[in-house]
């Protein structure tokens, strides 16, 4: 099964909540035909399905905590294999959230060719999330949970960037700029992959 993913081009998209990962991924999908896999979206779909697993996940996510590693990884892998025949590459959005998740991903799936580090100030992220919360219907887009998610991002996820800097695949993207200007930087990084 994993053979199907042997030559897959894998891009990790890492950044704080509200930094603009989803926004940029959407544009990459449109231009490059990549498959966008947001771990958060996969998990929320499981919650929406009403399954027993979904109910357990909901309780964890509402608290702003990280769900068990194997659960997320299995869901990502299933989704990747399902798209293996049509995908030009994979955007893994919101994963790894911690160094251990990155190590497990490499063991079970493969190594990333690029890490897009979508960087915005905490203040900017909070502002964007509060605005998104007005319409997103996401249980975690509220002030209290946003603060927890930001703390967790700085503690658990920023070390992921340092970890991958060692193999020189990190490209830092200034996401304070308007969406199209951010995408111009993203395009350069993706184009270099070919
Ligand atoms: N460069 C940018 N400038 C202004 N707003 C942006 C932006 N990138 C994203 N946004 C907006 C869109 C969303 O309402 C909100 C969060 O963006 P998102 O793509 O959902 O973030 P993430 O997926 O990283 O949580 O901010
Ligand atoms: Mg997102």
């Amino acid at each position: 099964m994993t053979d199907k993913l042997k030559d897959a081009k894998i891009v990790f998209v890492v950044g704080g909540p509200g930094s603009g990962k989803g926004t940029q991924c959407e544009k990459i999908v449109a231009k490059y035909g990549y498959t966008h896999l947001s771990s958060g979206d996969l998990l929320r779909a499981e919650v929406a399905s009403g399954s027993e697993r979904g109910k357990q996940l909901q309780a964890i996510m509402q608290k702003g905590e990280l769900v068990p590693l194997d659960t997320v990884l299995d869901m990502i892998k299933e989704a990747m294999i399902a798209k293996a025949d049509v995908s030009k590459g994979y955007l893994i959005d919101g994963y790894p959230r911690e160094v251990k998740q990155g190590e497990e991903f490499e063991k079970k799936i493969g190594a990333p060719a690029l890490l897009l580090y979508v960087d915005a100030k905490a203040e900017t992220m909070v502002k964007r999330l509060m605005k998104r919360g007005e319409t997103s219907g996401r249980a975690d887009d509220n002030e209290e949970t946003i603060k927890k998610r930001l703390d967790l991002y700085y503690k658990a996820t920023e070390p992921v960037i340092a970890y991958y800097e060692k193999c020189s695949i990190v490209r830092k993207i200034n996401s304070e700029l308007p969406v199209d200007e951010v995408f111009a930087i993203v395009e350069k990084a993706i184009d270099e992959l070919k």
Side-chain angles (χ1 to χ4, degrees), residues 128-138 141-142 146:
R128 287 179 185 169
L129 289 174
M130 291 300 288
K131 184 130 196 297
R132 186 175 78 180
E134 289 168 13
T135 53
S136 71
R138 280 180 51 165
D141 279 348
N142 64 75
I146 288 169

Side-chain angles (χ1 to χ4, degrees), residues 18-37:
S19 60
K21 300 182 295 296
T23 302
Q24 294 301 319
C25 283
E26 221 174 274
K27 296 177 80 68
I28 297 169
V29 169
K31 177 163 180 188
Y32 296 93
Y34 278 35
T35 298
H36 177 206
L37 296 174

Side-chain angles (χ1 to χ4, degrees), residues 17 59-66 97 126 129 140 142-157:
I60 298 169
M61 288 161 73
Q62 216 147 25
K63 287 188 270 179
E65 293 169 5
L66 297 182
R97 285 288 227 275
V126 172
L129 289 174
D140 56 356
N142 64 75
E143 199 161 4
E144 199 192 325
T145 311
I146 288 169
K147 202 182 164 303
K148 279 195 200 147
R149 287 157 69 204
L150 274 177
D151 286 348
L152 190 58
Y153 168 70
Y154 289 115
K155 238 184 275 162
T157 309

Side-chain angles (χ1 to χ4, degrees), residues 16-94:
S19 60
K21 300 182 295 296
T23 302
Q24 294 301 319
C25 283
E26 221 174 274
K27 296 177 80 68
I28 297 169
V29 169
K31 177 163 180 188
Y32 296 93
Y34 278 35
T35 298
H36 177 206
L37 296 174
S38 154
S39 57
D41 288 349
L42 290 173
L43 293 167
R44 281 186 289 277
E46 184 76 31
V47 171
S49 79
S51 69
E52 200 45 51
R53 179 159 83 167
K55 279 177 200 151
Q56 291 165 8
L57 291 173
Q58 184 171 34
I60 298 169
M61 288 161 73
Q62 216 147 25
K63 287 188 270 179
E65 293 169 5
L66 297 182
V67 307
L69 196 149
D70 286 340
T71 312
V72 193
L73 203 51
D74 287 348
M75 291 171 79
I76 291 174
K77 190 171 175 183
E78 275 165 37
M80 286 178 78
I81 289 170
K83 292 283 175 135
D85 294 330
V86 294
S87 188
K88 298 266 192 283
Y90 294 95
L91 298 166
I92 310 298
D93 166 6

